[in-house]
Amino acid sequence: ILYVSSDYDQKEQVSRNNLQNLGPFSEPVLVFQLSEGPAGASAPSLNLTVLWVNHVKPSLREPLLPGVWEVKMVLNSSLVAGTHFLVIPLQLVSGVEISQHQSTFLHNGPAQSFVAPEGVDYERFMASAGEKLALRRKATANSKRFGVDLQKWIDSLTNRFYKVVESCAASTRQTSLCGGVILEPCEGTVWSSLTPDPKSQICTVNNITGRMDR
């Protein structure tokens, strides 16, 4: 298991961010689980290094650069695992669409450079100088997106990581959309937050007993 999320509960060892959606002001956490060794064998002591390309909880400066990130796990100078994750650009701030000036500030990333620990050549796991320059130019161009252009960029990114499996209507009856698509009421599904949940329903308080009426 290897994935990047946020809101990690150390006690329960689970991420409370079920969608694993991250934004420029999120605090990414790498969650991983190593496979068990042979039965009866003692667990070896491992010294793992995690490279955040673009500790388990890194000290990354905010705002994070939006786009597709890559994290790599290195053991004994060899790459053993890696994964990609998405930092979603912001479209709204306080319910209002961001301006081009705001987008340049929020989506240009922090002014930081990669500093490798001494004694290990981590540069071979990183992009080349030419690739870094191209990525920097692309990031600068993306930071100037706003309005419809920003929305299209967000859609293109989220479509690479998320898939709409099912939809429903917040109304209590069937809803017809353009193109003849019929949506069933959310209250009739088992996955929607609008699905009735009798166990968590708060009833009225009995004035005589002081207890909840069922």
Side-chain angles (χ1 to χ4, degrees):
I1 299 175
L2 181 71
Y3 65 91
V4 175
S5 189
S6 64
D7 304 317
Y8 186 72
D9 189 325
Q10 188 75 27
K11 180 179 179 181
E12 300 295 334
Q13 297 188 357
V14 64
S15 170
R16 300 300 181 185
N17 182 358
N18 295 324
L19 287 178
Q20 300 174 21
N21 56 331
L22 303 171
F25 295 97
S26 298
E27 295 184 357
V29 177
L30 176 65
V31 183
F32 64 92
Q33 179 179 344
L34 304 178
S35 59
E36 297 181 359
S42 58
S45 177
L46 300 177
N47 183 16
L48 294 172
T49 300
V50 176
L51 302 179
W52 294 87
V53 183
N54 172 314
H55 315 102
V56 175
K57 183 176 182 181
S59 298
L60 300 177
R61 294 180 58 188
E62 298 176 352
L64 301 178
L65 184 67
V68 180
W69 283 54
E70 184 178 12
V71 59
K72 298 180 178 181
M73 184 175 292
V74 177
L75 173 63
N76 296 330
S77 300
S78 298
L79 182 65
V80 295
T83 187
H84 292 83
F85 65 97
L86 175 64
V87 175
I88 305 175
L90 294 178
Q91 184 179 4
L92 305 174
V93 174
S94 300
V96 180
E97 287 194 11
I98 65 175
S99 64
Q100 185 176 19
H101 176 73
Q102 289 174 312
S103 181
T104 301
F105 169 74
L106 294 170
H107 298 155
N108 200 34
Q112 65 177 16
S113 58
F114 172 72
V115 179
E118 296 182 0
V120 182
D121 179 20
Y122 288 112
E123 286 294 336
R124 58 195 178 94
F125 301 114
M126 313 294 285
S128 65
E131 291 172 331
K132 289 180 181 178
L133 180 59
L135 289 172
R136 184 68 258 181
R137 289 175 176 172
K138 183 178 180 180
T140 300
N142 286 334
S143 69
K144 299 177 181 179
R145 294 175 182 259
F146 72 105
V148 177
D149 190 29
L150 173 59
Q151 183 178 348
K152 290 181 178 179
W153 181 37
I154 294 175
D155 289 344
S156 67
L157 290 173
T158 54
N159 285 339
R160 295 172 59 181
F161 286 81
Y162 299 95
K163 180 180 179 182
V164 178
V165 178
E166 194 171 351
S167 302
C168 65
S171 63
T172 57
R173 57 184 179 181
Q174 285 186 342
T175 302
S176 178
L177 301 180
C178 296
V181 178
I182 304 297
L183 295 181
E184 297 294 332
C186 292
E187 63 181 18
T189 68
V190 296
W191 52 267
S192 173
S193 59
L194 297 178
T195 302
D197 186 2
K199 292 184 178 180
S200 62
Q201 184 177 1
I202 299 178
C203 304
T204 58
V205 178
N206 190 297
N207 293 329
I208 299 177
T209 63
R211 298 179 178 179
M212 293 286 186
D213 290 327
R214 296 181 178 272

mmCIF file of all heavy atoms in Angstrom, residues 74-122:
data_model
loop_
_atom_site.group_PDB
_atom_site.id
_atom_site.type_symbol
_atom_site.label_atom_id
_atom_site.label_comp_id
_atom_site.label_asym_id
_atom_site.label_seq_id
_atom_site.Cartn_x
_atom_site.Cartn_y
_atom_site.Cartn_z
ATOM 1 N N VAL A 74 13.065 5.333 -1.527
ATOM 2 C CA VAL A 74 14.396 4.814 -1.827
ATOM 3 C C VAL A 74 14.918 4.000 -0.646
ATOM 4 O O VAL A 74 14.831 4.442 0.501
ATOM 5 C CB VAL A 74 15.375 5.975 -2.132
ATOM 6 C CG1 VAL A 74 16.773 5.447 -2.381
ATOM 7 C CG2 VAL A 74 14.878 6.771 -3.338
ATOM 8 N N LEU A 75 15.440 2.828 -0.923
ATOM 9 C CA LEU A 75 16.035 1.953 0.091
ATOM 10 C C LEU A 75 17.407 1.516 -0.389
ATOM 11 O O LEU A 75 17.544 0.955 -1.479
ATOM 12 C CB LEU A 75 15.147 0.727 0.344
ATOM 13 C CG LEU A 75 15.715 -0.355 1.258
ATOM 14 C CD1 LEU A 75 15.943 0.195 2.662
ATOM 15 C CD2 LEU A 75 14.795 -1.567 1.306
ATOM 16 N N ASN A 76 18.419 1.817 0.415
ATOM 17 C CA ASN A 76 19.795 1.445 0.058
ATOM 18 C C ASN A 76 20.174 1.942 -1.337
ATOM 19 O O ASN A 76 20.734 1.205 -2.165
ATOM 20 C CB ASN A 76 19.973 -0.080 0.137
ATOM 21 C CG ASN A 76 19.783 -0.603 1.550
ATOM 22 O OD1 ASN A 76 20.054 0.092 2.526
ATOM 23 N ND2 ASN A 76 19.300 -1.828 1.658
ATOM 24 N N SER A 77 19.834 3.204 -1.602
ATOM 25 C CA SER A 77 20.153 3.876 -2.866
ATOM 26 C C SER A 77 19.454 3.271 -4.069
ATOM 27 O O SER A 77 19.845 3.522 -5.214
ATOM 28 C CB SER A 77 21.676 3.876 -3.110
ATOM 29 O OG SER A 77 22.341 4.546 -2.063
ATOM 30 N N SER A 78 18.418 2.457 -3.830
ATOM 31 C CA SER A 78 17.649 1.866 -4.927
ATOM 32 C C SER A 78 16.189 2.280 -4.813
ATOM 33 O O SER A 78 15.636 2.327 -3.707
ATOM 34 C CB SER A 78 17.749 0.334 -4.913
ATOM 35 O OG SER A 78 19.087 -0.082 -5.105
ATOM 36 N N LEU A 79 15.573 2.577 -5.939
ATOM 37 C CA LEU A 79 14.160 2.942 -5.960
ATOM 38 C C LEU A 79 13.306 1.694 -5.779
ATOM 39 O O LEU A 79 13.404 0.749 -6.556
ATOM 40 C CB LEU A 79 13.828 3.623 -7.293
ATOM 41 C CG LEU A 79 12.386 4.111 -7.471
ATOM 42 C CD1 LEU A 79 12.077 5.222 -6.474
ATOM 43 C CD2 LEU A 79 12.168 4.611 -8.900
ATOM 44 N N VAL A 80 12.472 1.675 -4.730
ATOM 45 C CA VAL A 80 11.671 0.484 -4.437
ATOM 46 C C VAL A 80 10.180 0.711 -4.656
ATOM 47 O O VAL A 80 9.425 -0.243 -4.833
ATOM 48 C CB VAL A 80 11.902 0.006 -2.985
ATOM 49 C CG1 VAL A 80 13.327 -0.465 -2.797
ATOM 50 C CG2 VAL A 80 11.578 1.104 -1.983
ATOM 51 N N ALA A 81 9.727 1.972 -4.643
ATOM 52 C CA ALA A 81 8.301 2.233 -4.838
ATOM 53 C C ALA A 81 8.108 3.697 -5.190
ATOM 54 O O ALA A 81 8.984 4.540 -4.954
ATOM 55 C CB ALA A 81 7.500 1.887 -3.584
ATOM 56 N N GLY A 82 6.957 4.005 -5.754
ATOM 57 C CA GLY A 82 6.631 5.383 -6.096
ATOM 58 C C GLY A 82 5.169 5.500 -6.463
ATOM 59 O O GLY A 82 4.511 4.507 -6.797
ATOM 60 N N THR A 83 4.650 6.701 -6.399
ATOM 61 C CA THR A 83 3.256 6.929 -6.767
ATOM 62 C C THR A 83 3.074 8.389 -7.158
ATOM 63 O O THR A 83 3.904 9.244 -6.835
ATOM 64 C CB THR A 83 2.303 6.572 -5.613
ATOM 65 O OG1 THR A 83 0.941 6.644 -6.069
ATOM 66 C CG2 THR A 83 2.451 7.533 -4.443
ATOM 67 N N HIS A 84 1.997 8.668 -7.875
ATOM 68 C CA HIS A 84 1.648 10.027 -8.251
ATOM 69 C C HIS A 84 0.427 10.478 -7.447
ATOM 70 O O HIS A 84 -0.418 9.664 -7.072
ATOM 71 C CB HIS A 84 1.319 10.124 -9.742
ATOM 72 C CG HIS A 84 2.504 9.904 -10.640
ATOM 73 N ND1 HIS A 84 2.930 8.633 -10.987
ATOM 74 C CD2 HIS A 84 3.349 10.777 -11.243
ATOM 75 C CE1 HIS A 84 3.991 8.738 -11.778
ATOM 76 N NE2 HIS A 84 4.265 10.021 -11.952
ATOM 77 N N PHE A 85 0.356 11.772 -7.176
ATOM 78 C CA PHE A 85 -0.832 12.318 -6.522
ATOM 79 C C PHE A 85 -1.091 13.714 -7.054
ATOM 80 O O PHE A 85 -0.217 14.339 -7.680
ATOM 81 C CB PHE A 85 -0.691 12.313 -4.999
ATOM 82 C CG PHE A 85 0.401 13.209 -4.459
ATOM 83 C CD1 PHE A 85 0.104 14.495 -4.002
ATOM 84 C CD2 PHE A 85 1.710 12.766 -4.381
ATOM 85 C CE1 PHE A 85 1.097 15.311 -3.494
ATOM 86 C CE2 PHE A 85 2.719 13.579 -3.861
ATOM 87 C CZ PHE A 85 2.407 14.855 -3.418
ATOM 88 N N LEU A 86 -2.289 14.187 -6.829
ATOM 89 C CA LEU A 86 -2.741 15.445 -7.421
ATOM 90 C C LEU A 86 -2.925 16.532 -6.374
ATOM 91 O O LEU A 86 -3.522 16.294 -5.324
ATOM 92 C CB LEU A 86 -4.072 15.224 -8.152
ATOM 93 C CG LEU A 86 -4.761 16.461 -8.737
ATOM 94 C CD1 LEU A 86 -3.895 17.080 -9.830
ATOM 95 C CD2 LEU A 86 -6.132 16.086 -9.289
ATOM 96 N N VAL A 87 -2.390 17.719 -6.661
ATOM 97 C CA VAL A 87 -2.682 18.921 -5.884
ATOM 98 C C VAL A 87 -3.602 19.772 -6.757
ATOM 99 O O VAL A 87 -3.191 20.258 -7.813
ATOM 100 C CB VAL A 87 -1.407 19.700 -5.525
ATOM 101 C CG1 VAL A 87 -1.762 21.016 -4.830
ATOM 102 C CG2 VAL A 87 -0.513 18.858 -4.621
ATOM 103 N N ILE A 88 -4.853 19.912 -6.349
ATOM 104 C CA ILE A 88 -5.870 20.564 -7.174
ATOM 105 C C ILE A 88 -5.778 22.087 -7.050
ATOM 106 O O ILE A 88 -5.733 22.621 -5.942
ATOM 107 C CB ILE A 88 -7.282 20.099 -6.758
ATOM 108 C CG1 ILE A 88 -7.368 18.566 -6.822
ATOM 109 C CG2 ILE A 88 -8.349 20.717 -7.665
ATOM 110 C CD1 ILE A 88 -8.679 18.011 -6.316
ATOM 111 N N PRO A 89 -5.767 22.808 -8.167
ATOM 112 C CA PRO A 89 -5.773 24.266 -8.111
ATOM 113 C C PRO A 89 -7.055 24.786 -7.472
ATOM 114 O O PRO A 89 -8.101 24.118 -7.496
ATOM 115 C CB PRO A 89 -5.696 24.684 -9.589
ATOM 116 C CG PRO A 89 -5.216 23.466 -10.319
ATOM 117 C CD PRO A 89 -5.714 22.294 -9.544
ATOM 118 N N LEU A 90 -6.978 25.967 -6.907
ATOM 119 C CA LEU A 90 -8.158 26.603 -6.326
ATOM 120 C C LEU A 90 -8.902 27.382 -7.409
ATOM 121 O O LEU A 90 -8.293 28.080 -8.216
ATOM 122 C CB LEU A 90 -7.755 27.563 -5.204
ATOM 123 C CG LEU A 90 -7.138 26.940 -3.951
ATOM 124 C CD1 LEU A 90 -6.742 28.037 -2.964
ATOM 125 C CD2 LEU A 90 -8.114 25.978 -3.294
ATOM 126 N N GLN A 91 -10.227 27.251 -7.399
ATOM 127 C CA GLN A 91 -11.056 28.020 -8.328
ATOM 128 C C GLN A 91 -11.817 29.130 -7.598
ATOM 129 O O GLN A 91 -12.085 30.186 -8.174
ATOM 130 C CB GLN A 91 -12.052 27.112 -9.049
ATOM 131 C CG GLN A 91 -12.889 27.825 -10.102
ATOM 132 C CD GLN A 91 -13.835 26.888 -10.818
ATOM 133 O OE1 GLN A 91 -13.933 25.706 -10.502
ATOM 134 N NE2 GLN A 91 -14.548 27.398 -11.803
ATOM 135 N N LEU A 92 -12.146 28.872 -6.330
ATOM 136 C CA LEU A 92 -12.904 29.820 -5.530
ATOM 137 C C LEU A 92 -12.167 30.134 -4.237
ATOM 138 O O LEU A 92 -11.504 29.267 -3.663
ATOM 139 C CB LEU A 92 -14.289 29.271 -5.191
ATOM 140 C CG LEU A 92 -15.185 28.812 -6.350
ATOM 141 C CD1 LEU A 92 -16.452 28.157 -5.809
ATOM 142 C CD2 LEU A 92 -15.545 29.978 -7.256
ATOM 143 N N VAL A 93 -12.294 31.358 -3.771
ATOM 144 C CA VAL A 93 -11.812 31.769 -2.458
ATOM 145 C C VAL A 93 -12.962 32.498 -1.775
ATOM 146 O O VAL A 93 -13.452 33.505 -2.288
ATOM 147 C CB VAL A 93 -10.582 32.694 -2.548
ATOM 148 C CG1 VAL A 93 -10.207 33.225 -1.171
ATOM 149 C CG2 VAL A 93 -9.395 31.948 -3.152
ATOM 150 N N SER A 94 -13.414 31.954 -0.653
ATOM 151 C CA SER A 94 -14.574 32.509 0.062
ATOM 152 C C SER A 94 -15.796 32.578 -0.850
ATOM 153 O O SER A 94 -16.584 33.538 -0.787
ATOM 154 C CB SER A 94 -14.256 33.892 0.630
ATOM 155 O OG SER A 94 -13.177 33.824 1.542
ATOM 156 N N GLY A 95 -15.947 31.570 -1.716
ATOM 157 C CA GLY A 95 -17.114 31.495 -2.580
ATOM 158 C C GLY A 95 -17.058 32.377 -3.812
ATOM 159 O O GLY A 95 -18.022 32.438 -4.581
ATOM 160 N N VAL A 96 -15.942 33.064 -4.037
ATOM 161 C CA VAL A 96 -15.800 33.973 -5.181
ATOM 162 C C VAL A 96 -14.679 33.466 -6.083
ATOM 163 O O VAL A 96 -13.621 33.054 -5.594
ATOM 164 C CB VAL A 96 -15.489 35.415 -4.714
ATOM 165 C CG1 VAL A 96 -15.351 36.344 -5.914
ATOM 166 C CG2 VAL A 96 -16.589 35.905 -3.776
ATOM 167 N N GLU A 97 -14.909 33.498 -7.400
ATOM 168 C CA GLU A 97 -13.880 33.061 -8.330
ATOM 169 C C GLU A 97 -12.628 33.921 -8.187
ATOM 170 O O GLU A 97 -12.718 35.139 -8.068
ATOM 171 C CB GLU A 97 -14.402 33.142 -9.776
ATOM 172 C CG GLU A 97 -15.416 32.068 -10.119
ATOM 173 C CD GLU A 97 -15.642 31.967 -11.619
ATOM 174 O OE1 GLU A 97 -14.855 32.590 -12.380
ATOM 175 O OE2 GLU A 97 -16.579 31.268 -12.019
ATOM 176 N N ILE A 98 -11.470 33.269 -8.201
ATOM 177 C CA ILE A 98 -10.221 34.003 -8.000
ATOM 178 C C ILE A 98 -9.868 34.806 -9.252
ATOM 179 O O ILE A 98 -10.211 34.427 -10.379
ATOM 180 C CB ILE A 98 -9.070 33.057 -7.627
ATOM 181 C CG1 ILE A 98 -8.753 32.092 -8.779
ATOM 182 C CG2 ILE A 98 -9.372 32.296 -6.359
ATOM 183 C CD1 ILE A 98 -7.552 31.211 -8.512
ATOM 184 N N SER A 99 -9.172 35.900 -9.039
ATOM 185 C CA SER A 99 -8.732 36.749 -10.136
ATOM 186 C C SER A 99 -7.408 36.221 -10.682
ATOM 187 O O SER A 99 -6.793 35.315 -10.112
ATOM 188 C CB SER A 99 -8.565 38.192 -9.655
ATOM 189 O OG SER A 99 -7.525 38.259 -8.675
ATOM 190 N N GLN A 100 -6.943 36.807 -11.780
ATOM 191 C CA GLN A 100 -5.656 36.397 -12.335
ATOM 192 C C GLN A 100 -4.527 36.716 -11.369
ATOM 193 O O GLN A 100 -3.576 35.938 -11.242
ATOM 194 C CB GLN A 100 -5.409 37.093 -13.674
ATOM 195 C CG GLN A 100 -4.138 36.615 -14.373
ATOM 196 C CD GLN A 100 -3.952 37.230 -15.742
ATOM 197 O OE1 GLN A 100 -4.539 38.250 -16.054
ATOM 198 N NE2 GLN A 100 -3.140 36.595 -16.576
ATOM 199 N N HIS A 101 -4.633 37.836 -10.664
ATOM 200 C CA HIS A 101 -3.602 38.192 -9.690
ATOM 201 C C HIS A 101 -3.559 37.169 -8.556
ATOM 202 O O HIS A 101 -2.473 36.739 -8.134
ATOM 203 C CB HIS A 101 -3.876 39.585 -9.128
ATOM 204 C CG HIS A 101 -2.923 40.006 -8.052
ATOM 205 N ND1 HIS A 101 -1.609 40.361 -8.308
ATOM 206 C CD2 HIS A 101 -3.080 40.099 -6.691
ATOM 207 C CE1 HIS A 101 -1.005 40.661 -7.178
ATOM 208 N NE2 HIS A 101 -1.868 40.512 -6.183
ATOM 209 N N GLN A 102 -4.720 36.773 -8.056
ATOM 210 C CA GLN A 102 -4.776 35.770 -6.992
ATOM 211 C C GLN A 102 -4.252 34.423 -7.480
ATOM 212 O O GLN A 102 -3.549 33.720 -6.754
ATOM 213 C CB GLN A 102 -6.209 35.625 -6.485
ATOM 214 C CG GLN A 102 -6.727 36.804 -5.685
ATOM 215 C CD GLN A 102 -8.194 36.646 -5.343
ATOM 216 O OE1 GLN A 102 -9.022 36.330 -6.201
ATOM 217 N NE2 GLN A 102 -8.528 36.858 -4.070
ATOM 218 N N SER A 103 -4.595 34.068 -8.705
ATOM 219 C CA SER A 103 -4.162 32.790 -9.261
ATOM 220 C C SER A 103 -2.642 32.726 -9.363
ATOM 221 O O SER A 103 -2.026 31.703 -9.061
ATOM 222 C CB SER A 103 -4.782 32.580 -10.642
ATOM 223 O OG SER A 103 -4.386 31.338 -11.197
ATOM 224 N N THR A 104 -2.026 33.839 -9.775
ATOM 225 C CA THR A 104 -0.565 33.879 -9.890
ATOM 226 C C THR A 104 0.097 33.646 -8.539
ATOM 227 O O THR A 104 1.118 32.958 -8.437
ATOM 228 C CB THR A 104 -0.114 35.235 -10.462
ATOM 229 O OG1 THR A 104 -0.712 35.421 -11.751
ATOM 230 C CG2 THR A 104 1.400 35.279 -10.608
ATOM 231 N N PHE A 105 -0.499 34.184 -7.480
ATOM 232 C CA PHE A 105 0.058 33.999 -6.139
ATOM 233 C C PHE A 105 -0.209 32.591 -5.613
ATOM 234 O O PHE A 105 0.686 31.936 -5.070
ATOM 235 C CB PHE A 105 -0.547 35.020 -5.168
ATOM 236 C CG PHE A 105 -0.242 34.736 -3.718
ATOM 237 C CD1 PHE A 105 1.017 34.961 -3.190
ATOM 238 C CD2 PHE A 105 -1.219 34.204 -2.883
ATOM 239 C CE1 PHE A 105 1.304 34.682 -1.864
ATOM 240 C CE2 PHE A 105 -0.945 33.916 -1.553
ATOM 241 C CZ PHE A 105 0.319 34.162 -1.045
ATOM 242 N N LEU A 106 -1.440 32.097 -5.775
ATOM 243 C CA LEU A 106 -1.838 30.813 -5.194
ATOM 244 C C LEU A 106 -1.274 29.616 -5.942
ATOM 245 O O LEU A 106 -1.047 28.558 -5.353
ATOM 246 C CB LEU A 106 -3.367 30.713 -5.158
ATOM 247 C CG LEU A 106 -4.093 31.695 -4.246
ATOM 248 C CD1 LEU A 106 -5.600 31.641 -4.498
ATOM 249 C CD2 LEU A 106 -3.796 31.380 -2.787
ATOM 250 N N HIS A 107 -1.050 29.758 -7.250
ATOM 251 C CA HIS A 107 -0.717 28.604 -8.085
ATOM 252 C C HIS A 107 0.702 28.621 -8.624
ATOM 253 O O HIS A 107 1.047 27.834 -9.500
ATOM 254 C CB HIS A 107 -1.712 28.509 -9.257
ATOM 255 C CG HIS A 107 -3.120 28.303 -8.830
ATOM 256 N ND1 HIS A 107 -4.205 28.678 -9.606
ATOM 257 C CD2 HIS A 107 -3.634 27.765 -7.690
ATOM 258 C CE1 HIS A 107 -5.311 28.371 -8.966
ATOM 259 N NE2 HIS A 107 -5.001 27.822 -7.804
ATOM 260 N N ASN A 108 1.548 29.515 -8.120
ATOM 261 C CA ASN A 108 2.919 29.584 -8.604
ATOM 262 C C ASN A 108 3.875 28.779 -7.733
ATOM 263 O O ASN A 108 5.049 28.645 -8.051
ATOM 264 C CB ASN A 108 3.390 31.039 -8.677
ATOM 265 C CG ASN A 108 4.585 31.206 -9.597
ATOM 266 O OD1 ASN A 108 4.709 30.516 -10.596
ATOM 267 N ND2 ASN A 108 5.484 32.106 -9.239
ATOM 268 N N GLY A 109 3.363 28.233 -6.606
ATOM 269 C CA GLY A 109 4.203 27.423 -5.736
ATOM 270 C C GLY A 109 5.187 28.259 -4.946
ATOM 271 O O GLY A 109 5.386 29.450 -5.217
ATOM 272 N N PRO A 110 5.836 27.678 -3.947
ATOM 273 C CA PRO A 110 6.819 28.398 -3.133
ATOM 274 C C PRO A 110 8.174 28.471 -3.823
ATOM 275 O O PRO A 110 8.472 27.675 -4.711
ATOM 276 C CB PRO A 110 6.905 27.552 -1.856
ATOM 277 C CG PRO A 110 6.635 26.157 -2.349
ATOM 278 C CD PRO A 110 5.633 26.297 -3.481
ATOM 279 N N ALA A 111 8.969 29.426 -3.412
ATOM 280 C CA ALA A 111 10.332 29.545 -3.957
ATOM 281 C C ALA A 111 11.254 28.634 -3.156
ATOM 282 O O ALA A 111 11.913 29.046 -2.212
ATOM 283 C CB ALA A 111 10.806 30.991 -3.872
ATOM 284 N N GLN A 112 11.279 27.359 -3.510
ATOM 285 C CA GLN A 112 12.122 26.412 -2.783
ATOM 286 C C GLN A 112 12.830 25.509 -3.776
ATOM 287 O O GLN A 112 12.377 25.300 -4.890
ATOM 288 C CB GLN A 112 11.295 25.580 -1.807
ATOM 289 C CG GLN A 112 10.278 24.658 -2.478
ATOM 290 C CD GLN A 112 9.535 23.817 -1.452
ATOM 291 O OE1 GLN A 112 9.550 24.092 -0.275
ATOM 292 N NE2 GLN A 112 8.878 22.792 -1.927
ATOM 293 N N SER A 113 13.944 24.969 -3.379
ATOM 294 C CA SER A 113 14.712 24.056 -4.225
ATOM 295 C C SER A 113 14.970 22.767 -3.459
ATOM 296 O O SER A 113 14.908 22.728 -2.229
ATOM 297 C CB SER A 113 16.040 24.697 -4.643
ATOM 298 O OG SER A 113 16.797 25.059 -3.506
ATOM 299 N N PHE A 114 15.275 21.704 -4.205
ATOM 300 C CA PHE A 114 15.529 20.407 -3.596
ATOM 301 C C PHE A 114 16.943 20.356 -3.018
ATOM 302 O O PHE A 114 17.909 20.690 -3.700
ATOM 303 C CB PHE A 114 15.347 19.299 -4.644
ATOM 304 C CG PHE A 114 15.760 17.934 -4.166
ATOM 305 C CD1 PHE A 114 14.997 17.255 -3.248
ATOM 306 C CD2 PHE A 114 16.929 17.351 -4.638
ATOM 307 C CE1 PHE A 114 15.380 15.995 -2.804
ATOM 308 C CE2 PHE A 114 17.307 16.096 -4.200
ATOM 309 C CZ PHE A 114 16.520 15.425 -3.283
ATOM 310 N N VAL A 115 17.032 19.967 -1.762
ATOM 311 C CA VAL A 115 18.328 19.819 -1.103
ATOM 312 C C VAL A 115 18.472 18.361 -0.675
ATOM 313 O O VAL A 115 17.744 17.885 0.186
ATOM 314 C CB VAL A 115 18.461 20.741 0.124
ATOM 315 C CG1 VAL A 115 19.811 20.535 0.783
ATOM 316 C CG2 VAL A 115 18.279 22.199 -0.285
ATOM 317 N N ALA A 116 19.382 17.633 -1.284
ATOM 318 C CA ALA A 116 19.555 16.209 -1.002
ATOM 319 C C ALA A 116 20.467 16.007 0.191
ATOM 320 O O ALA A 116 21.413 16.768 0.401
ATOM 321 C CB ALA A 116 20.139 15.506 -2.225
ATOM 322 N N PRO A 117 20.209 14.966 1.000
ATOM 323 C CA PRO A 117 21.115 14.646 2.110
ATOM 324 C C PRO A 117 22.497 14.285 1.581
ATOM 325 O O PRO A 117 22.645 13.798 0.453
ATOM 326 C CB PRO A 117 20.431 13.426 2.762
ATOM 327 C CG PRO A 117 19.004 13.485 2.315
ATOM 328 C CD PRO A 117 19.035 14.089 0.953
ATOM 329 N N GLU A 118 23.500 14.522 2.377
ATOM 330 C CA GLU A 118 24.868 14.237 1.957
ATOM 331 C C GLU A 118 25.117 12.730 1.873
ATOM 332 O O GLU A 118 24.539 11.951 2.619
ATOM 333 C CB GLU A 118 25.850 14.864 2.945
ATOM 334 C CG GLU A 118 25.794 16.384 2.986
ATOM 335 C CD GLU A 118 26.813 16.971 3.944
ATOM 336 O OE1 GLU A 118 27.552 16.176 4.566
ATOM 337 O OE2 GLU A 118 26.881 18.201 4.073
ATOM 338 N N GLY A 119 25.999 12.355 0.961
ATOM 339 C CA GLY A 119 26.434 10.963 0.877
ATOM 340 C C GLY A 119 25.647 10.118 -0.092
ATOM 341 O O GLY A 119 26.045 8.993 -0.388
ATOM 342 N N VAL A 120 24.521 10.603 -0.612
ATOM 343 C CA VAL A 120 23.703 9.811 -1.535
ATOM 344 C C VAL A 120 23.380 10.669 -2.748
ATOM 345 O O VAL A 120 23.029 11.841 -2.623
ATOM 346 C CB VAL A 120 22.398 9.342 -0.868
ATOM 347 C CG1 VAL A 120 21.591 8.483 -1.843
ATOM 348 C CG2 VAL A 120 22.694 8.557 0.400
ATOM 349 N N ASP A 121 23.498 10.078 -3.930
ATOM 350 C CA ASP A 121 23.202 10.788 -5.170
ATOM 351 C C ASP A 121 21.728 10.611 -5.519
ATOM 352 O O ASP A 121 21.338 9.662 -6.188
ATOM 353 C CB ASP A 121 24.086 10.248 -6.301
ATOM 354 C CG ASP A 121 23.795 10.940 -7.625
ATOM 355 O OD1 ASP A 121 23.227 12.045 -7.595
ATOM 356 O OD2 ASP A 121 24.112 10.363 -8.679
ATOM 357 N N TYR A 122 20.898 11.540 -5.038
ATOM 358 C CA TYR A 122 19.468 11.463 -5.309
ATOM 359 C C TYR A 122 19.089 12.118 -6.629
ATOM 360 O O TYR A 122 17.963 11.959 -7.097
ATOM 361 C CB TYR A 122 18.681 12.123 -4.174
ATOM 362 C CG TYR A 122 18.687 11.329 -2.891
ATOM 363 C CD1 TYR A 122 19.356 11.788 -1.766
ATOM 364 C CD2 TYR A 122 18.017 10.114 -2.807
ATOM 365 C CE1 TYR A 122 19.361 11.058 -0.588
ATOM 366 C CE2 TYR A 122 18.026 9.373 -1.636
ATOM 367 C CZ TYR A 122 18.700 9.848 -0.521
ATOM 368 O OH TYR A 122 18.706 9.128 0.633
#
